[in-house]
PDB file of all heavy atoms in Angstrom:
ATOM      1  N   CYS A   1     104.360 141.646  75.778  1.00 96.00           N
ATOM      2  CA  CYS A   1     104.447 142.939  76.477  1.00 96.00           C
ATOM      3  C   CYS A   1     104.151 144.085  75.510  1.00 96.00           C
ATOM      4  O   CYS A   1     103.378 145.003  75.822  1.00 96.00           O
ATOM      5  CB  CYS A   1     105.833 143.121  77.091  1.00 96.00           C
ATOM      6  SG  CYS A   1     106.337 141.836  78.242  1.00 96.00           S
ATOM      7  N   VAL A   2     104.780 144.016  74.338  1.00 96.00           N
ATOM      8  CA  VAL A   2     104.592 145.055  73.323  1.00 96.00           C
ATOM      9  C   VAL A   2     103.149 145.061  72.823  1.00 96.00           C
ATOM     10  O   VAL A   2     102.537 146.119  72.644  1.00 96.00           O
ATOM     11  CB  VAL A   2     105.589 144.852  72.159  1.00 96.00           C
ATOM     12  CG1 VAL A   2     105.265 145.793  70.995  1.00 96.00           C
ATOM     13  CG2 VAL A   2     107.023 145.062  72.643  1.00 96.00           C
ATOM     14  N   HIS A   3     102.576 143.871  72.628  1.00 96.00           N
ATOM     15  CA  HIS A   3     101.192 143.764  72.149  1.00 96.00           C
ATOM     16  C   HIS A   3     100.220 144.447  73.114  1.00 96.00           C
ATOM     17  O   HIS A   3      99.354 145.218  72.701  1.00 96.00           O
ATOM     18  CB  HIS A   3     100.816 142.291  71.976  1.00 96.00           C
ATOM     19  CG  HIS A   3      99.367 142.086  71.652  1.00 96.00           C
ATOM     20  ND1 HIS A   3      98.840 142.346  70.399  1.00 96.00           N
ATOM     21  CD2 HIS A   3      98.323 141.681  72.422  1.00 96.00           C
ATOM     22  CE1 HIS A   3      97.535 142.101  70.412  1.00 96.00           C
ATOM     23  NE2 HIS A   3      97.200 141.684  71.624  1.00 96.00           N
ATOM     24  N   LEU A   4     100.383 144.171  74.403  1.00 96.00           N
ATOM     25  CA  LEU A   4      99.491 144.755  75.407  1.00 96.00           C
ATOM     26  C   LEU A   4      99.653 146.272  75.456  1.00 96.00           C
ATOM     27  O   LEU A   4      98.669 147.022  75.518  1.00 96.00           O
ATOM     28  CB  LEU A   4      99.768 144.130  76.776  1.00 96.00           C
ATOM     29  CG  LEU A   4      98.912 144.629  77.946  1.00 96.00           C
ATOM     30  CD1 LEU A   4      97.422 144.426  77.661  1.00 96.00           C
ATOM     31  CD2 LEU A   4      99.318 143.921  79.240  1.00 96.00           C
ATOM     32  N   PHE A   5     100.902 146.733  75.414  1.00 96.00           N
ATOM     33  CA  PHE A   5     101.201 148.169  75.449  1.00 96.00           C
ATOM     34  C   PHE A   5     100.519 148.893  74.282  1.00 96.00           C
ATOM     35  O   PHE A   5      99.849 149.914  74.465  1.00 96.00           O
ATOM     36  CB  PHE A   5     102.720 148.361  75.398  1.00 96.00           C
ATOM     37  CG  PHE A   5     103.173 149.793  75.364  1.00 96.00           C
ATOM     38  CD1 PHE A   5     103.141 150.572  76.508  1.00 96.00           C
ATOM     39  CD2 PHE A   5     103.640 150.368  74.188  1.00 96.00           C
ATOM     40  CE1 PHE A   5     103.575 151.899  76.490  1.00 96.00           C
ATOM     41  CE2 PHE A   5     104.072 151.679  74.151  1.00 96.00           C
ATOM     42  CZ  PHE A   5     104.036 152.446  75.307  1.00 96.00           C
ATOM     43  N   TYR A   6     100.651 148.353  73.094  1.00 94.00           N
ATOM     44  CA  TYR A   6     100.056 148.987  71.915  1.00 94.00           C
ATOM     45  C   TYR A   6      98.535 148.901  71.924  1.00 94.00           C
ATOM     46  O   TYR A   6      97.845 149.826  71.484  1.00 94.00           O
ATOM     47  CB  TYR A   6     100.621 148.371  70.636  1.00 94.00           C
ATOM     48  CG  TYR A   6     101.929 148.998  70.227  1.00 94.00           C
ATOM     49  CD1 TYR A   6     103.111 148.667  70.885  1.00 94.00           C
ATOM     50  CD2 TYR A   6     101.987 149.951  69.220  1.00 94.00           C
ATOM     51  CE1 TYR A   6     104.312 149.255  70.533  1.00 94.00           C
ATOM     52  CE2 TYR A   6     103.180 150.545  68.856  1.00 94.00           C
ATOM     53  CZ  TYR A   6     104.338 150.189  69.520  1.00 94.00           C
ATOM     54  OH  TYR A   6     105.524 150.787  69.179  1.00 94.00           O
ATOM     55  N   LYS A   7      98.030 147.812  72.432  1.00 94.00           N
ATOM     56  CA  LYS A   7      96.575 147.661  72.519  1.00 94.00           C
ATOM     57  C   LYS A   7      95.964 148.727  73.419  1.00 94.00           C
ATOM     58  O   LYS A   7      94.891 149.278  73.148  1.00 94.00           O
ATOM     59  CB  LYS A   7      96.236 146.266  73.048  1.00 94.00           C
ATOM     60  CG  LYS A   7      94.744 145.972  73.093  1.00 94.00           C
ATOM     61  CD  LYS A   7      94.496 144.561  73.610  1.00 94.00           C
ATOM     62  CE  LYS A   7      92.998 144.281  73.702  1.00 94.00           C
ATOM     63  NZ  LYS A   7      92.722 142.918  74.236  1.00 94.00           N
ATOM     64  N   LEU A   8      96.661 149.040  74.528  1.00 95.00           N
ATOM     65  CA  LEU A   8      96.155 150.024  75.484  1.00 95.00           C
ATOM     66  C   LEU A   8      96.437 151.459  75.048  1.00 95.00           C
ATOM     67  O   LEU A   8      95.634 152.363  75.293  1.00 95.00           O
ATOM     68  CB  LEU A   8      96.773 149.766  76.868  1.00 95.00           C
ATOM     69  CG  LEU A   8      96.389 148.444  77.538  1.00 95.00           C
ATOM     70  CD1 LEU A   8      97.218 148.224  78.800  1.00 95.00           C
ATOM     71  CD2 LEU A   8      94.902 148.418  77.875  1.00 95.00           C
ATOM     72  N   MET A   9      97.592 151.694  74.396  1.00 96.00           N
ATOM     73  CA  MET A   9      97.993 153.068  74.059  1.00 96.00           C
ATOM     74  C   MET A   9      97.548 153.506  72.659  1.00 96.00           C
ATOM     75  O   MET A   9      97.356 154.696  72.418  1.00 96.00           O
ATOM     76  CB  MET A   9      99.522 153.210  74.177  1.00 96.00           C
ATOM     77  CG  MET A   9     100.040 153.093  75.601  1.00 96.00           C
ATOM     78  SD  MET A   9      99.350 154.363  76.698  1.00 96.00           S
ATOM     79  CE  MET A   9     100.055 155.853  75.998  1.00 96.00           C
ATOM     80  N   ARG A  10      97.420 152.573  71.721  1.00 96.00           N
ATOM     81  CA  ARG A  10      96.975 152.859  70.352  1.00 96.00           C
ATOM     82  C   ARG A  10      97.613 154.146  69.782  1.00 96.00           C
ATOM     83  O   ARG A  10      96.926 155.095  69.388  1.00 96.00           O
ATOM     84  CB  ARG A  10      95.447 152.983  70.283  1.00 96.00           C
ATOM     85  CG  ARG A  10      94.702 151.767  70.792  1.00 96.00           C
ATOM     86  CD  ARG A  10      93.228 151.806  70.410  1.00 96.00           C
ATOM     87  NE  ARG A  10      92.522 152.982  70.878  1.00 96.00           N
ATOM     88  CZ  ARG A  10      92.018 153.132  72.107  1.00 96.00           C
ATOM     89  NH1 ARG A  10      92.149 152.150  73.004  1.00 96.00           N
ATOM     90  NH2 ARG A  10      91.367 154.231  72.435  1.00 96.00           N
ATOM     91  N   PRO A  11      98.947 154.192  69.728  1.00 96.00           N
ATOM     92  CA  PRO A  11      99.613 155.429  69.285  1.00 96.00           C
ATOM     93  C   PRO A  11      99.390 155.736  67.806  1.00 96.00           C
ATOM     94  O   PRO A  11      99.208 154.827  66.991  1.00 96.00           O
ATOM     95  CB  PRO A  11     101.093 155.127  69.550  1.00 96.00           C
ATOM     96  CG  PRO A  11     101.200 153.644  69.464  1.00 96.00           C
ATOM     97  CD  PRO A  11      99.913 153.124  70.031  1.00 96.00           C
ATOM     98  N   GLN A  12      99.417 157.024  67.486  1.00 96.00           N
ATOM     99  CA  GLN A  12      99.371 157.453  66.081  1.00 96.00           C
ATOM    100  C   GLN A  12     100.772 157.504  65.481  1.00 96.00           C
ATOM    101  O   GLN A  12     100.941 157.417  64.264  1.00 96.00           O
ATOM    102  CB  GLN A  12      98.712 158.826  65.962  1.00 96.00           C
ATOM    103  CG  GLN A  12      97.218 158.822  66.232  1.00 96.00           C
ATOM    104  CD  GLN A  12      96.582 160.140  65.815  1.00 96.00           C
ATOM    105  OE1 GLN A  12      97.018 160.784  64.866  1.00 96.00           O
ATOM    106  NE2 GLN A  12      95.551 160.532  66.529  1.00 96.00           N
ATOM    107  N   ALA A  13     101.767 157.690  66.339  1.00 97.00           N
ATOM    108  CA  ALA A  13     103.158 157.722  65.885  1.00 97.00           C
ATOM    109  C   ALA A  13     104.052 157.462  67.098  1.00 97.00           C
ATOM    110  O   ALA A  13     103.633 157.644  68.247  1.00 97.00           O
ATOM    111  CB  ALA A  13     103.505 159.067  65.260  1.00 97.00           C
ATOM    112  N   MET A  14     105.298 157.047  66.796  1.00 97.00           N
ATOM    113  CA  MET A  14     106.238 156.787  67.878  1.00 97.00           C
ATOM    114  C   MET A  14     107.619 157.292  67.477  1.00 97.00           C
ATOM    115  O   MET A  14     107.976 157.295  66.294  1.00 97.00           O
ATOM    116  CB  MET A  14     106.293 155.296  68.202  1.00 97.00           C
ATOM    117  CG  MET A  14     107.111 154.966  69.433  1.00 97.00           C
ATOM    118  SD  MET A  14     106.804 153.294  70.038  1.00 97.00           S
ATOM    119  CE  MET A  14     107.886 153.288  71.467  1.00 97.00           C
ATOM    120  N   VAL A  15     108.386 157.723  68.467  1.00 97.00           N
ATOM    121  CA  VAL A  15     109.721 158.254  68.238  1.00 97.00           C
ATOM    122  C   VAL A  15     110.703 157.542  69.170  1.00 97.00           C
ATOM    123  O   VAL A  15     110.490 157.495  70.388  1.00 97.00           O
ATOM    124  CB  VAL A  15     109.774 159.778  68.512  1.00 97.00           C
ATOM    125  CG1 VAL A  15     111.198 160.304  68.330  1.00 97.00           C
ATOM    126  CG2 VAL A  15     108.807 160.524  67.607  1.00 97.00           C
ATOM    127  N   LEU A  16     111.756 156.988  68.588  1.00 97.00           N
ATOM    128  CA  LEU A  16     112.889 156.477  69.358  1.00 97.00           C
ATOM    129  C   LEU A  16     114.060 157.413  69.123  1.00 97.00           C
ATOM    130  O   LEU A  16     114.059 158.200  68.175  1.00 97.00           O
ATOM    131  CB  LEU A  16     113.255 155.053  68.906  1.00 97.00           C
ATOM    132  CG  LEU A  16     112.174 153.974  69.038  1.00 97.00           C
ATOM    133  CD1 LEU A  16     112.654 152.655  68.432  1.00 97.00           C
ATOM    134  CD2 LEU A  16     111.784 153.764  70.496  1.00 97.00           C
ATOM    135  N   MET A  17     115.080 157.340  69.975  1.00 94.00           N
ATOM    136  CA  MET A  17     116.219 158.224  69.760  1.00 94.00           C
ATOM    137  C   MET A  17     117.547 157.513  69.972  1.00 94.00           C
ATOM    138  O   MET A  17     117.636 156.493  70.656  1.00 94.00           O
ATOM    139  CB  MET A  17     116.118 159.473  70.635  1.00 94.00           C
ATOM    140  CG  MET A  17     116.331 159.269  72.114  1.00 94.00           C
ATOM    141  SD  MET A  17     116.179 160.818  73.051  1.00 94.00           S
ATOM    142  CE  MET A  17     117.540 161.796  72.406  1.00 94.00           C
ATOM    143  N   GLU A  18     118.548 158.043  69.301  1.00 92.00           N
ATOM    144  CA  GLU A  18     119.937 157.616  69.400  1.00 92.00           C
ATOM    145  C   GLU A  18     120.124 156.165  68.964  1.00 92.00           C
ATOM    146  O   GLU A  18     119.979 155.853  67.793  1.00 92.00           O
ATOM    147  CB  GLU A  18     120.487 157.917  70.798  1.00 92.00           C
ATOM    148  CG  GLU A  18     120.419 159.414  71.106  1.00 92.00           C
ATOM    149  CD  GLU A  18     121.259 159.866  72.258  1.00 92.00           C
ATOM    150  OE1 GLU A  18     121.764 159.020  73.016  1.00 92.00           O
ATOM    151  OE2 GLU A  18     121.414 161.099  72.402  1.00 92.00           O
ATOM    152  N   THR A  19     120.412 155.246  69.879  1.00 89.00           N
ATOM    153  CA  THR A  19     120.655 153.845  69.486  1.00 89.00           C
ATOM    154  C   THR A  19     119.580 152.913  70.028  1.00 89.00           C
ATOM    155  O   THR A  19     119.817 151.715  70.210  1.00 89.00           O
ATOM    156  CB  THR A  19     122.040 153.376  69.989  1.00 89.00           C
ATOM    157  OG1 THR A  19     122.159 153.668  71.378  1.00 89.00           O
ATOM    158  CG2 THR A  19     123.152 154.058  69.231  1.00 89.00           C
ATOM    159  N   GLU A  20     118.404 153.462  70.286  1.00 91.00           N
ATOM    160  CA  GLU A  20     117.313 152.640  70.825  1.00 91.00           C
ATOM    161  C   GLU A  20     116.627 151.885  69.680  1.00 91.00           C
ATOM    162  O   GLU A  20     115.652 152.366  69.094  1.00 91.00           O
ATOM    163  CB  GLU A  20     116.302 153.521  71.562  1.00 91.00           C
ATOM    164  CG  GLU A  20     116.871 154.222  72.783  1.00 91.00           C
ATOM    165  CD  GLU A  20     117.171 153.269  73.921  1.00 91.00           C
ATOM    166  OE1 GLU A  20     116.385 152.327  74.135  1.00 91.00           O
ATOM    167  OE2 GLU A  20     118.215 153.451  74.584  1.00 91.00           O
ATOM    168  N   ILE A  21     117.165 150.738  69.344  1.00 93.00           N
ATOM    169  CA  ILE A  21     116.630 149.920  68.248  1.00 93.00           C
ATOM    170  C   ILE A  21     115.993 148.673  68.860  1.00 93.00           C
ATOM    171  O   ILE A  21     116.693 147.754  69.296  1.00 93.00           O
ATOM    172  CB  ILE A  21     117.741 149.529  67.249  1.00 93.00           C
ATOM    173  CG1 ILE A  21     118.426 150.799  66.709  1.00 93.00           C
ATOM    174  CG2 ILE A  21     117.175 148.701  66.104  1.00 93.00           C
ATOM    175  CD1 ILE A  21     119.709 150.522  65.967  1.00 93.00           C
ATOM    176  N   TRP A  22     114.653 148.657  68.908  1.00 94.00           N
ATOM    177  CA  TRP A  22     113.921 147.561  69.540  1.00 94.00           C
ATOM    178  C   TRP A  22     113.093 146.835  68.482  1.00 94.00           C
ATOM    179  O   TRP A  22     112.031 147.315  68.081  1.00 94.00           O
ATOM    180  CB  TRP A  22     113.038 148.109  70.677  1.00 94.00           C
ATOM    181  CG  TRP A  22     113.856 148.777  71.739  1.00 94.00           C
ATOM    182  CD1 TRP A  22     113.988 150.107  71.967  1.00 94.00           C
ATOM    183  CD2 TRP A  22     114.694 148.123  72.684  1.00 94.00           C
ATOM    184  NE1 TRP A  22     114.853 150.336  73.002  1.00 94.00           N
ATOM    185  CE2 TRP A  22     115.311 149.131  73.470  1.00 94.00           C
ATOM    186  CE3 TRP A  22     114.991 146.789  72.958  1.00 94.00           C
ATOM    187  CZ2 TRP A  22     116.194 148.842  74.494  1.00 94.00           C
ATOM    188  CZ3 TRP A  22     115.881 146.495  73.984  1.00 94.00           C
ATOM    189  CH2 TRP A  22     116.463 147.517  74.744  1.00 94.00           C
ATOM    190  N   PRO A  23     113.599 145.685  68.008  1.00 95.00           N
ATOM    191  CA  PRO A  23     112.970 145.011  66.864  1.00 95.00           C
ATOM    192  C   PRO A  23     111.493 144.681  67.026  1.00 95.00           C
ATOM    193  O   PRO A  23     110.717 144.830  66.074  1.00 95.00           O
ATOM    194  CB  PRO A  23     113.814 143.731  66.720  1.00 95.00           C
ATOM    195  CG  PRO A  23     115.156 144.105  67.272  1.00 95.00           C
ATOM    196  CD  PRO A  23     114.851 145.026  68.413  1.00 95.00           C
ATOM    197  N   THR A  24     111.074 144.244  68.211  1.00 96.00           N
ATOM    198  CA  THR A  24     109.670 143.876  68.388  1.00 96.00           C
ATOM    199  C   THR A  24     108.768 145.106  68.330  1.00 96.00           C
ATOM    200  O   THR A  24     107.696 145.086  67.712  1.00 96.00           O
ATOM    201  CB  THR A  24     109.471 143.135  69.724  1.00 96.00           C
ATOM    202  OG1 THR A  24     110.399 142.048  69.804  1.00 96.00           O
ATOM    203  CG2 THR A  24     108.060 142.587  69.857  1.00 96.00           C
ATOM    204  N   ILE A  25     109.189 146.181  68.975  1.00 96.00           N
ATOM    205  CA  ILE A  25     108.431 147.437  68.930  1.00 96.00           C
ATOM    206  C   ILE A  25     108.358 147.960  67.494  1.00 96.00           C
ATOM    207  O   ILE A  25     107.297 148.386  67.018  1.00 96.00           O
ATOM    208  CB  ILE A  25     109.075 148.479  69.873  1.00 96.00           C
ATOM    209  CG1 ILE A  25     108.810 148.089  71.341  1.00 96.00           C
ATOM    210  CG2 ILE A  25     108.559 149.891  69.589  1.00 96.00           C
ATOM    211  CD1 ILE A  25     109.551 148.925  72.349  1.00 96.00           C
ATOM    212  N   ILE A  26     109.490 147.915  66.802  1.00 96.00           N
ATOM    213  CA  ILE A  26     109.531 148.392  65.416  1.00 96.00           C
ATOM    214  C   ILE A  26     108.609 147.549  64.529  1.00 96.00           C
ATOM    215  O   ILE A  26     107.852 148.090  63.705  1.00 96.00           O
ATOM    216  CB  ILE A  26     110.983 148.366  64.893  1.00 96.00           C
ATOM    217  CG1 ILE A  26     111.838 149.399  65.653  1.00 96.00           C
ATOM    218  CG2 ILE A  26     111.020 148.647  63.390  1.00 96.00           C
ATOM    219  CD1 ILE A  26     113.325 149.297  65.390  1.00 96.00           C
ATOM    220  N   GLN A  27     108.646 146.230  64.712  1.00 96.00           N
ATOM    221  CA  GLN A  27     107.799 145.336  63.917  1.00 96.00           C
ATOM    222  C   GLN A  27     106.316 145.616  64.148  1.00 96.00           C
ATOM    223  O   GLN A  27     105.517 145.632  63.212  1.00 96.00           O
ATOM    224  CB  GLN A  27     108.119 143.875  64.263  1.00 96.00           C
ATOM    225  CG  GLN A  27     107.203 142.830  63.639  1.00 96.00           C
ATOM    226  CD  GLN A  27     107.317 142.760  62.124  1.00 96.00           C
ATOM    227  OE1 GLN A  27     108.236 143.307  61.534  1.00 96.00           O
ATOM    228  NE2 GLN A  27     106.349 142.099  61.486  1.00 96.00           N
ATOM    229  N   ARG A  28     105.954 145.881  65.412  1.00 95.00           N
ATOM    230  CA  ARG A  28     104.552 146.148  65.732  1.00 95.00           C
ATOM    231  C   ARG A  28     104.080 147.440  65.067  1.00 95.00           C
ATOM    232  O   ARG A  28     102.972 147.508  64.523  1.00 95.00           O
ATOM    233  CB  ARG A  28     104.365 146.203  67.245  1.00 95.00           C
ATOM    234  CG  ARG A  28     102.930 146.514  67.671  1.00 95.00           C
ATOM    235  CD  ARG A  28     101.944 145.507  67.071  1.00 95.00           C
ATOM    236  NE  ARG A  28     100.580 145.955  67.161  1.00 95.00           N
ATOM    237  CZ  ARG A  28      99.680 145.483  68.015  1.00 95.00           C
ATOM    238  NH1 ARG A  28     100.021 144.535  68.861  1.00 95.00           N
ATOM    239  NH2 ARG A  28      98.448 145.939  68.010  1.00 95.00           N
ATOM    240  N   CYS A  29     104.916 148.473  65.104  1.00 96.00           N
ATOM    241  CA  CYS A  29     104.566 149.733  64.434  1.00 96.00           C
ATOM    242  C   CYS A  29     104.412 149.510  62.929  1.00 96.00           C
ATOM    243  O   CYS A  29     103.470 150.015  62.304  1.00 96.00           O
ATOM    244  CB  CYS A  29     105.638 150.787  64.693  1.00 96.00           C
ATOM    245  SG  CYS A  29     105.557 151.557  66.318  1.00 96.00           S
ATOM    246  N   TYR A  30     105.337 148.765  62.360  1.00 96.00           N
ATOM    247  CA  TYR A  30     105.330 148.512  60.917  1.00 96.00           C
ATOM    248  C   TYR A  30     104.056 147.773  60.495  1.00 96.00           C
ATOM    249  O   TYR A  30     103.398 148.160  59.529  1.00 96.00           O
ATOM    250  CB  TYR A  30     106.573 147.701  60.556  1.00 96.00           C
ATOM    251  CG  TYR A  30     106.714 147.383  59.092  1.00 96.00           C
ATOM    252  CD1 TYR A  30     107.116 148.365  58.182  1.00 96.00           C
ATOM    253  CD2 TYR A  30     106.464 146.099  58.618  1.00 96.00           C
ATOM    254  CE1 TYR A  30     107.254 148.078  56.835  1.00 96.00           C
ATOM    255  CE2 TYR A  30     106.606 145.793  57.281  1.00 96.00           C
ATOM    256  CZ  TYR A  30     107.003 146.784  56.390  1.00 96.00           C
ATOM    257  OH  TYR A  30     107.137 146.484  55.065  1.00 96.00           O
ATOM    258  N   LYS A  31     103.713 146.734  61.230  1.00 95.00           N
ATOM    259  CA  LYS A  31     102.516 145.951  60.903  1.00 95.00           C
ATOM    260  C   LYS A  31     101.240 146.773  61.036  1.00 95.00           C
ATOM    261  O   LYS A  31     100.271 146.555  60.323  1.00 95.00           O
ATOM    262  CB  LYS A  31     102.426 144.724  61.821  1.00 95.00           C
ATOM    263  CG  LYS A  31     103.335 143.573  61.427  1.00 95.00           C
ATOM    264  CD  LYS A  31     103.180 142.391  62.362  1.00 95.00           C
ATOM    265  CE  LYS A  31     101.793 141.786  62.246  1.00 95.00           C
ATOM    266  NZ  LYS A  31     101.641 140.583  63.106  1.00 95.00           N
ATOM    267  N   SER A  32     101.253 147.725  61.983  1.00 94.00           N
ATOM    268  CA  SER A  32     100.056 148.525  62.251  1.00 94.00           C
ATOM    269  C   SER A  32     100.046 149.854  61.484  1.00 94.00           C
ATOM    270  O   SER A  32      99.200 150.707  61.747  1.00 94.00           O
ATOM    271  CB  SER A  32      99.940 148.791  63.755  1.00 94.00           C
ATOM    272  OG  SER A  32      99.916 147.579  64.478  1.00 94.00           O
ATOM    273  N   ASN A  33     101.034 150.030  60.579  1.00 94.00           N
ATOM    274  CA  ASN A  33     101.155 151.280  59.802  1.00 94.00           C
ATOM    275  C   ASN A  33     101.277 152.510  60.692  1.00 94.00           C
ATOM    276  O   ASN A  33     100.703 153.573  60.415  1.00 94.00           O
ATOM    277  CB  ASN A  33      99.969 151.442  58.841  1.00 94.00           C
ATOM    278  CG  ASN A  33     100.003 150.415  57.723  1.00 94.00           C
ATOM    279  OD1 ASN A  33     101.050 150.162  57.157  1.00 94.00           O
ATOM    280  ND2 ASN A  33      98.857 149.812  57.441  1.00 94.00           N
TER     281      ASN A  33
END
């Protein structure tokens, strides 16, 4: 799900807030710089 989302959106940056800690989303951002 995360892979498809990032493939379509190709973000330059992302912001989470408060206690929204999503390991797969975080890992994808990290791998993609």
Side-chain angles (χ1 to χ4, degrees):
C1 303
V2 171
H3 173 75
L4 180 57
F5 177 76
Y6 276 77
K7 184 179 178 181
L8 295 172
M9 293 300 294
R10 303 193 303 278
Q12 289 192 32
M14 188 165 181
V15 177
L16 300 175
M17 71 180 296
E18 300 196 348
T19 51
E20 296 290 322
I21 303 167
W22 299 105
T24 308
I25 288 172
I26 293 170
Q27 173 66 13
R28 179 56 195 255
C29 282
Y30 181 75
K31 281 181 66 177
S32 303
N33 291 316

